[in-house]
């Protein structure tokens, strides 16, 4: 169980580091939009590995990305 926690921490840490590096070359609003795409990518990856994704999950993910796009992109 500890190894799984370490793996999650590693991926989370890599995400923060890549976001910090990305902020050196792009605007914060674009960076926030790109990282909000995780809301869409996680269900997509679940679907690829064979997990059943409900329609309400797809709708929620799409609405979250659309809302962030309206707020962040000009």
């Amino acid at each position: 169980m500890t190894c799984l926690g370490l793996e999650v921490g590693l991926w989370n840490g890599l995400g923060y580091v890549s976001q910090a590096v990305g902020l050196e070359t792009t605007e914060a609003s674009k960076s926030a939009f790109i990282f909000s795409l995780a809301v869409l990518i996680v269900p997509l990856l679940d679907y690829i590995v064979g997990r059943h994704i409900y329609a309400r999950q797809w709708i929620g993910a799409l609405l979250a990305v659309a809302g962030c796009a309206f707020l962040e992109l000009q």
Side-chain angles (χ1 to χ4, degrees):
M1 206 61 168
T2 302
C3 289
L4 294 175
L6 289 173
E7 182 183 359
V8 169
L10 174 72
W11 289 114
N12 195 19
L14 284 174
Y16 283 125
V17 169
S18 63
Q19 186 176 15
V21 170
L23 283 173
E24 292 179 355
T25 59
T26 189
E27 299 173 2
S29 61
K30 287 184 183 177
S31 177
F33 175 71
I34 290 169
F35 280 96
S36 75
L37 292 177
V39 175
L40 187 60
I41 291 172
V42 170
L44 181 64
L45 290 175
D46 283 344
Y47 178 75
I48 289 171
V49 298
R51 188 170 175 201
H52 178 71
I53 307 298
Y54 297 105
R56 67 176 181 251
Q57 291 170 306
W58 285 117
I59 293 169
L62 292 173
L63 286 174
V65 170
C68 189
F70 283 125
L71 290 173
E72 300 296 336
L73 300 179
Q74 297 175 356

